[in-house]
């Protein structure tokens, strides 16, 4: 009987454990994940390589180099000794080199820096204990003659073995029998040399017939050199080494104890452009060393101290760095494309800056210029630039690529904290590709660069011209419902507080129309799934405090009848509220440190995250397709063909879950596919931010960059972003009433210079109701405070720009600080004067803090 009871008890325990395990599995089982590998870049077959054959060149344009390929407009030259390339613009005669021609005479550069000036690729890596190292293909490949050059279609393929691949100490047997040492070495050396070798080998304690190398003595450079010479003199071969290693159960590491990497680079001419490609899947790493970043062509087209011109960087709307501006006390320019990756466990923000939303950079030097577009790998790319005088005598800009995720792990040991830098084991396996375009004459400036990039986007069907419009759009964000702490019988709970009901949003639109504002593009935020910080967008449920589905549809119809549109807003990539549809253990992205990616808004007073403002998770990109599909199915029932996407055109984040790493560039491909699905279901899409990969799907853009970050090294802020998209996308900057600068005169001039529509963020209820909530940043949203000023601003900007919305910006000129001219392709020019004094430009008088519109079509 007792045994039977024990069996029952055991079975009961097993049952309870099984039920508990099942309950845990169900509680943590998340949404289905996509197969990440299908979103990587499609496999590209390596370019067919053959023996490199040079073309006949009757009048060599680049002394010391050979003609390797040419097109109607370009010629590609190659130096077989240094692997330098040069591109000749056959129209202008300008030669652009991969490395400075006179780098050897640079008095500013140290010997190390001169090696970097001579390199085409730099590898930054970490060893097994996390120590950071750097290695260039000049010092550790070209100088060692460890490279191979091959011919490919209209170009060259170079394969570099970077690092010391010699056996070093491993060329000497670690262990060797006394018999073989006598036979193979001692007997073939003079007495003194044999004794020298013998003093560095000692018998094993457990087997005196076998000698072991004394590494502490042999590893010293002079000793190692003498030992290697002795074994070579004795005629000791690689076959002998292999035999001794095999006999003693050892395997030669073959130089793997030192960092060495194999890196291929392909250069190809395509019409009037040069493409530079690195197939990362073909990169090889030595054991114990992991590549962190790859720097590509750091000094392509570098300009010397006598050059006149500037570098273009995509900071915000765009910035120029004047060549040789002398700002060596400022930090170098370095920005990640598409902004910083939020997927890191730092609780602080390094700096407050605008995002680099376009993957481009360039340089004007004299009467010529080049523009670089990162075509592949831009999601993991950074753009870097520096001026002469800091480390060397050149101005240069280049792209680098983080092919592994990196984060910091803090280990607490009592009162001490050790910080360890971690890299992901997996690395990015797609291609890195940069396309260089060359401009000369009147096109060799940032206006010409914008035109070239715009033409490329049009050719790729990313941009399509917008049709004629009756009036300038007026973008209005309307705040629906927000969280607010409430209580019942003294018990606190989180409840919803309506700030603008659906009916009230309609009233605001009617009052705007009565004030002369047409074409109202209304973005309704905080309308479903419990307000502004809504639950994940799986089942779409309108917040009843705001109204009904019928009323929402009627609001959409009302706005359309007024010439505008309603865009209900949704956030996907930030999971703003926990609920049963989202399982953080499965659905959240992971840091490199394996923690769930839970973050909090930044408190600007401390420049750090503040959990009192709430928290949110980063959704894994692998789970995004599931939630997008669920949203489409649920939202389709509302009968509205428009949607606003709060973060899919603005943010790009990785997931470093060990079993399923999603690098940012792969996440970009996933997001792009989801944008396509949403666009197919809801053909009117409003996006915030406007990263390059999202432009194809946006019918309207808000919060586009209308300024730069103002980095100390930069000299001029320009509307490069707007010059690319104007005439192809309707857009606006950030909300005027929430901007740090609320001077309406300034905001009007900035809209006119940047060709942007007005944008406001309003609530029907007073913004004082948001006090002591997580939404205090919406400090001035009460619409009655802004209605008159907004309608006046709109009237002035609309009068100037309404007829120019479908025109491209042909040229932007800063005549003097604070005075600019924007010339459109129909001949119309908009002049703006931000200064306190009137100015005269091209015979046109512009009053202080005012503007003038004139030209062929004025």
């Amino acid at each position: 009987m007792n045994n039977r009871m024990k069996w029952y008890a055991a079975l009961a325990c097993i049952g309870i454990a099984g039920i508990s395990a099942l309950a845990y599995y169900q509680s943590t089982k998340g949404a289905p994940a996509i197969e990440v590998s299908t979103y990587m870049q499609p496999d590209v077959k390596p370019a067919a390589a053959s023996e490199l054959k040079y073309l006949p060149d009757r009048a060599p344009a680049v002394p010391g180099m050979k003609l390797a390929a040419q097109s109607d407009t370009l010629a590609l030259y190659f130096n077989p000794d240094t692997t330098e390339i040069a591109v000749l613009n056959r129209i202008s005669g300008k030669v652009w080199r991969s490395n400075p021609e006179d780098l050897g005479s640079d008095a500013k550069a140290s010997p190390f820096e001169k090696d970097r000036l001579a390199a085409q690729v730099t590898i930054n890596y970490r060893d097994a204990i996390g120590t950071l190292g750097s290695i260039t293909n000049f010092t550790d490949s070209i100088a060692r003659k460890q490279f191979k050059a091959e011919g490919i279609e209209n170009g060259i393929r170079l394969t570099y073995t970077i690092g010391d691949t010699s056996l070093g100490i491993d060329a000497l047997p670690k262990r060797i029998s006394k018999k073989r040492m006598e036979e193979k070495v001692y007997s073939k050396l003079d007495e003194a040399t044999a004794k020298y070798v013998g003093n560095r080998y000692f018998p094993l304690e457990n087997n005196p017939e076998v000698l072991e190398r004394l590494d502490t003595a042999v590893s010293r450079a002079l000793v190692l050199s003498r030992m290697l010479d002795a074994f070579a003199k004795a005629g000791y071969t690689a076959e002998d080494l292999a035999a001794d290693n095999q006999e003693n159960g050892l395997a030669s590491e073959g130089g793997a104890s030192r960092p060495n990497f194999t890196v291929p680079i392909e250069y190809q001419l395509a019409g009037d452009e040069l493409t530079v490609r690195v197939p990362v899947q073909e990169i090889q790493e030595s054991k114990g060393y992991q590549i962190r970043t790859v720097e590509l062509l750091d000094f392509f087209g570098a300009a010397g101290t006598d050059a006149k011109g500037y570098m273009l960087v995509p900071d915000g709307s765009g910035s120029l760095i004047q060549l040789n501006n002398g700002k060596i006390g400022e930090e170098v320019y370095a920005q990640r494309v598409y902004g910083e990756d939020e997927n890191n466990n730092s609780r602080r923000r390094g700096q407050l800056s605008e995002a680099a939303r376009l993957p481009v950079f360039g340089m004007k030097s004299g009467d010529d210029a080049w523009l670089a577009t990162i075509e592949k790998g831009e999601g993991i790319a950074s753009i870097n630039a520096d001026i002469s005088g800091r480390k060397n005598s050149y101005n240069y800009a280049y792209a680098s690529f983080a092919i592994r995720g990196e984060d910091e792990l803090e280990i607490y040991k009592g009162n001490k904290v050790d910080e360890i830098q971690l890299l992901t084991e997996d690395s990015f396996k797609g291609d890195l590709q940069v396309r260089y375009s060359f401009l000369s004459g009147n096109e060799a400036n940032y206006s010409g660069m914008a035109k070239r990039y715009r033409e490329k986007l049009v050719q790729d069907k990313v941009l399509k011209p917008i049709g004629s419009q009756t009036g300038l759009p007026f973008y209005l964000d309307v705040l629906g419902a927000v969280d607010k702490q409430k209580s019942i019988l003294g018990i606190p709970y989180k409840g919803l507080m309506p700030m603008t009901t659906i009916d009230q949003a309609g009233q605001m639109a009617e009052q705007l129309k009565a004030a002369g504002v047409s074409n109202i593009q209304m973005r309704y935020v905080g309308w479903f799934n419990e307000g502004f910080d809504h639950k994940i967008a799986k089942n779409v449920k309108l917040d009843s405090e705001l109204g009904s589905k019928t009323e929402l549809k009627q609001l959409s119809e009302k706005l359309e009848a007024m010439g505008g549109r309603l865009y209900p807003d949704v956030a996907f990539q930030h999971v703003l509220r926990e609920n049963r549809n989202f399982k953080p253990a499965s659905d959240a992205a992971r840091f490199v440190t394996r923690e769930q990616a839970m973050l909090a808004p930044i408190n600007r007073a401390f420049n750090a995250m503040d959990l009192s403002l709430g928290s949110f998770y980063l959704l894994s990109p692998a789970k995004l397709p599931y939630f997008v599909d669920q949203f489409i199915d649920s939202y389709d029932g509302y009968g509205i063909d428009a949607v606003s996407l709060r973060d899919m055109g603005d943010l790009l984040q990785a997931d470093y879950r060990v079993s399923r790493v999603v690098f940012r560039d792969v996440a970009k491909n996933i997001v792009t596919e989801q944008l396509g699905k949403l666009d197919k279901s809801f053909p009117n899409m409003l996006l915030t931010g406007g990263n390059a990969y999202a432009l194809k799907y946006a019918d309207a853009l808000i919060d586009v960059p209308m300024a730069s970050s103002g980095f100390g090294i930069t000299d001029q802020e320009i509307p490069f972003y707007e010059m690319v998209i104007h005439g192809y996308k309707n857009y606006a900057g950030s909300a005027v009433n929430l901007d740090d600068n609320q001077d309406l005169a300034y905001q009007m001039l900035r809209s006119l210079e940047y060709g942007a529509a007005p944008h406001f963020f309003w609530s029907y209820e007073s913004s004082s109701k948001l006090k002591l909530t997580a939404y205090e940043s919406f400090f001035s949203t009460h619409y009655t405070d802004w209605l008159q000023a907004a309608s006046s601003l709109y009237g002035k900007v609309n009068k100037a720009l309404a007829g120019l919305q479908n025109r491209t910006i042909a040229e932007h000129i800063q005549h003097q600080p604070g005075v600019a001219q924007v010339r459109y392709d129909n001949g119309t020019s908009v002049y703006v004067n931000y200064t306190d004094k009137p100015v005269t430009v091209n015979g046109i008088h512009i009053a202080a803090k005012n503007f003038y519109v004139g030209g062929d079509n004025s």
Side-chain angles (χ1 to χ4, degrees):
M1 186 68 178
N2 288 337
N3 288 336
R4 182 179 296 178
M5 291 299 294
K6 289 179 180 178
W7 276 108
Y8 286 156
L11 289 172
C13 290
I14 293 172
I16 292 170
I19 292 171
S20 300
L22 179 62
Y24 176 78
Y25 172 75
Q26 291 295 335
S27 67
T28 58
K29 178 186 177 183
I34 49 92
E35 179 56 51
V36 174
S37 61
T38 62
Y39 289 85
M40 296 180 183
Q41 294 174 5
D43 290 335
V44 178
K45 294 182 180 179
S50 60
E51 180 184 353
L52 178 57
K53 296 180 180 179
Y54 300 104
L55 303 178
D57 191 17
R58 296 179 180 177
V62 188
M65 292 193 179
K66 298 181 179 181
L67 181 61
Q70 62 182 347
S71 66
D72 291 341
T73 55
L74 300 177
L76 176 63
Y77 284 83
F78 176 64
N79 186 324
D81 297 321
T82 65
T83 75
E84 294 172 85
I85 66 159
V87 178
L88 168 67
N89 185 331
R90 299 173 69 182
I91 297 174
S92 70
K94 175 69 175 181
V95 174
W96 298 103
R97 296 175 176 269
S98 60
N99 306 85
E101 182 179 11
D102 53 351
L103 62 89
S105 60
D106 185 356
K108 182 69 179 178
S110 64
F112 171 81
E113 190 65 20
K114 287 182 179 179
D115 286 350
R116 183 167 168 257
L117 285 167
Q120 292 84 43
V121 61
T122 299
I123 300 295
N124 299 300
Y125 63 88
R126 291 194 183 278
D127 63 17
I129 61 173
T131 304
L132 185 63
S134 182
I135 194 168
T136 73
N137 75 318
F138 177 78
T139 308
D140 292 282
S141 178
I142 298 168
R144 297 175 184 271
K145 303 298 182 183
Q146 297 173 175
F147 63 88
K148 179 182 180 182
E150 299 173 284
I152 57 176
E153 184 180 0
N154 220 27
I156 309 167
R157 177 184 174 93
L158 291 159
T159 304
Y160 297 100
T161 300
I162 306 174
D164 184 359
T165 59
S166 64
L167 290 175
I169 195 173
D170 292 320
L172 306 174
K174 177 67 176 175
R175 292 177 181 176
I176 183 172
S177 67
K178 283 185 176 180
K179 180 180 178 182
R180 279 184 58 83
M181 178 68 92
E182 176 64 36
E183 176 187 341
K184 294 291 183 179
V185 182
Y186 294 161
S187 64
K188 298 179 179 181
L189 298 174
D190 59 73
E191 183 178 350
T193 305
K195 183 178 180 180
Y196 185 86
V197 171
N199 287 339
R200 273 106 189 132
Y201 278 86
F202 286 83
L204 288 175
E205 289 185 9
N206 59 351
N207 187 1
E209 294 304 311
V210 175
L211 302 176
E212 184 172 44
R213 189 178 68 212
L214 185 61
D215 287 355
T216 54
V218 176
S219 60
R220 288 180 290 181
L222 292 176
V223 176
L224 176 60
S225 177
R226 189 170 175 182
M227 290 286 286
L228 290 172
D229 288 344
F231 273 75
K233 184 178 181 180
Y236 188 82
T237 66
E239 289 76 14
D240 293 329
L241 177 65
D244 286 318
N245 284 334
Q246 184 176 7
E247 180 178 322
N248 292 282
L250 301 172
S252 174
E253 293 296 324
S257 60
R258 293 177 297 281
N260 59 77
F261 310 95
T262 300
V263 180
I265 301 179
E266 295 177 357
Y267 302 99
Q268 282 184 290
L269 295 183
D272 60 352
E273 296 171 320
L274 169 73
T275 61
V276 183
R277 173 177 174 259
V278 176
V280 179
Q281 64 272 22
E282 296 181 36
I283 291 178
Q284 298 176 18
E285 303 167 316
S286 57
K287 184 178 179 181
Y289 296 89
Q290 293 180 312
I291 295 178
R292 175 176 174 258
T293 58
V294 176
E295 298 177 14
L296 188 59
L297 293 184
D298 291 17
F299 296 95
F300 182 89
T305 54
D306 296 330
K308 304 295 182 182
Y310 49 75
M311 291 177 283
L312 165 73
V313 291
D315 171 28
S317 63
S319 286
L320 302 180
I321 303 173
Q322 297 294 330
L323 303 183
N324 307 303
N325 65 14
K327 297 181 179 181
I328 58 175
E330 302 290 348
E331 291 188 7
V332 301
Y333 173 83
Q335 266 192 308
R336 294 193 71 165
V337 177
Y338 305 141
E340 293 298 320
D341 185 358
E342 291 183 296
N343 191 353
N344 70 81
N345 66 359
S346 171
R347 294 294 184 260
R348 299 193 64 82
R349 177 173 57 189
Q351 61 184 359
L352 180 64
S353 63
E354 295 282 346
R357 301 203 178 275
L358 302 178
V360 297
F361 57 100
M363 179 183 292
K364 172 181 171 60
S365 179
D367 295 328
D368 287 83
W370 55 261
L371 173 72
T373 304
I374 307 173
E375 295 187 316
K376 295 180 181 179
E378 71 270 28
I380 57 171
S382 294
I383 294 172
N384 313 271
D386 200 6
I387 51 157
S388 65
R390 191 191 309 271
K391 294 181 177 180
N392 54 63
S393 300
Y394 302 96
N395 306 268
Y396 55 99
Y398 64 95
S400 59
F401 301 86
I403 68 168
R404 278 188 169 86
E406 183 175 28
D407 216 333
E408 186 177 271
L409 178 65
E410 294 182 344
I411 299 178
Y412 292 84
K413 299 178 179 178
N415 295 327
K416 184 180 177 183
V417 180
D418 289 340
E419 296 177 349
I420 299 176
Q421 296 296 327
L422 298 179
L423 292 176
T424 57
E425 187 65 31
D426 288 349
S427 64
F428 176 71
K429 296 299 183 184
D431 285 354
L432 312 177
Q433 183 165 301
V434 182
R435 181 180 297 270
Y436 289 86
S437 304
F438 304 95
L439 307 98
S440 57
N442 294 333
E443 296 286 312
N445 49 51
Y446 63 85
S447 296
M449 295 179 194
K451 178 184 176 183
R452 178 62 66 94
Y453 184 52
R454 179 175 64 243
E455 289 173 344
K456 178 64 175 174
L457 295 181
V458 172
Q459 178 184 334
D460 293 341
K461 298 182 179 180
V462 173
L463 296 180
K464 295 181 180 179
I466 58 178
S468 59
Q469 298 178 337
T470 56
L472 194 68
F474 181 91
Y475 291 98
L476 178 62
D477 296 349
V478 173
L479 181 61
V482 298
D483 296 337
K484 186 155 187 178
Q485 196 80 3
K486 298 182 179 181
S487 64
I488 296 179
L489 300 176
I491 301 174
Y493 72 97
K494 185 180 288 186
L496 276 186
M497 179 175 65
M499 292 297 291
T500 311
T501 66
I502 296 171
D503 179 67
Q504 290 168 343
Q507 293 179 42
M508 291 162 58
E510 290 170 354
Q511 292 182 49
L512 277 169
K513 181 180 180 182
V517 177
S518 61
N519 199 356
I520 301 170
Q521 306 292 312
M522 182 181 290
R523 173 177 172 244
Y524 198 21
V525 296
W527 64 279
F528 80 107
N529 288 17
E530 300 182 32
F532 186 87
D533 290 341
H534 62 74
K535 293 187 292 187
I536 195 163
K538 181 178 179 181
N539 300 313
V540 179
K541 183 181 179 181
L542 176 66
D543 294 328
S544 58
E545 294 89 342
L546 301 176
S548 67
K549 289 176 66 173
T550 300
E551 288 175 311
L552 188 68
K553 184 70 165 72
Q554 289 172 346
L555 175 60
S556 175
E557 292 169 348
K558 174 185 286 189
L559 288 167
E560 288 189 33
M562 295 166 59
R565 193 174 301 279
L566 175 67
Y567 297 92
D569 179 74
V570 57
F572 282 103
Q573 298 186 107
H574 281 183
V575 182
L576 305 165
R577 189 189 297 270
E578 290 191 54
N579 63 90
R580 61 186 179 86
N581 292 323
F582 175 78
K583 306 295 193 299
S586 172
D587 297 331
R590 295 292 180 106
F591 299 140
V592 175
T593 57
R594 305 192 181 187
E595 304 162 274
Q596 295 171 14
M598 188 185 78
L599 306 172
I602 296 292
N603 186 325
R604 295 180 66 177
F606 305 105
N607 206 37
M609 292 183 189
D610 187 346
L611 287 171
S612 70
L613 300 177
S615 63
F616 58 90
Y617 288 96
L618 299 181
L619 179 68
S620 169
K623 301 300 183 80
L624 179 62
Y626 171 79
F627 288 108
V628 168
D629 289 342
Q630 296 294 309
F631 172 80
I632 290 174
D633 290 343
S634 185
Y635 180 63
D636 191 56
Y638 283 77
I640 299 173
D641 66 352
V643 67
S644 161
L645 302 178
R646 191 184 306 180
D647 53 25
M648 285 178 66
D650 183 35
L651 304 173
L652 195 61
Q653 60 210 31
D655 179 5
Y656 298 119
R657 184 180 297 265
V658 173
S659 61
R660 187 191 62 230
V661 176
V662 185
F663 292 99
R664 284 185 93 207
D665 202 69
V666 178
K668 175 203 69 181
N669 297 334
I670 296 172
V671 169
T672 301
E673 183 191 69
Q674 306 320 302
L675 287 169
K677 286 195 298 189
L678 286 160
D679 183 55
K680 186 175 180 180
S681 299
F682 313 110
N684 296 291
M685 290 209 311
L686 182 149
L687 302 182
T688 65
N691 289 338
Y693 56 82
L695 291 177
K696 180 177 180 178
Y697 306 99
D699 294 281
L701 294 161
I702 60 171
D703 295 343
V704 303
M706 297 280 286
S708 69
S709 305
F711 294 131
I713 195 172
T714 62
D715 295 289
Q716 184 181 338
E717 192 173 78
I718 60 172
F720 185 85
Y721 184 95
E722 287 72 17
M723 295 168 72
V724 171
I725 69 170
H726 197 283
Y728 294 86
K729 299 292 176 184
N730 288 312
Y731 59 88
S734 60
V736 170
N737 56 305
L738 296 180
D739 197 88
D740 290 340
N741 187 342
Q742 294 188 357
D743 180 348
L744 290 184
Y746 170 85
Q747 293 288 351
M748 176 188 68
L749 295 177
R750 180 49 56 113
S751 289
L752 291 167
E753 182 185 2
Y754 280 57
H759 176 203
F760 287 83
F761 190 116
W762 289 350
S763 62
Y764 190 87
E765 301 292 339
S766 172
S767 49
S768 63
K769 288 189 172 185
L770 300 173
K771 191 174 182 180
L772 302 180
T773 73
Y775 310 96
E776 286 185 324
S777 59
F778 302 147
F779 54 87
S780 58
T781 59
H782 194 200
Y783 86 103
T784 57
D785 296 337
W786 292 95
L787 183 61
Q788 184 176 352
S791 59
S792 175
L793 172 66
Y794 174 80
K796 295 175 182 177
V797 177
N798 182 51
K799 183 178 180 181
L801 297 181
L804 297 172
Q805 287 304 288
N806 61 349
R807 312 305 308 191
T808 59
I809 297 177
E811 188 176 21
H812 177 271
I813 306 169
Q814 186 181 68
H815 292 284
Q816 65 184 63
V819 180
Q821 175 188 355
V822 182
R823 185 175 61 82
Y824 289 84
D825 62 352
N826 66 348
T828 300
S829 284
V830 177
Y831 296 84
V832 293
N833 177 14
Y834 293 92
T835 71
D836 295 326
K837 297 179 180 179
V839 296
T840 300
V841 178
N842 297 334
I844 296 171
H845 180 80
I846 312 158
K849 293 187 176 181
N850 216 319
F851 69 96
Y852 174 87
V853 179
D856 298 343
N857 266 7
S858 59

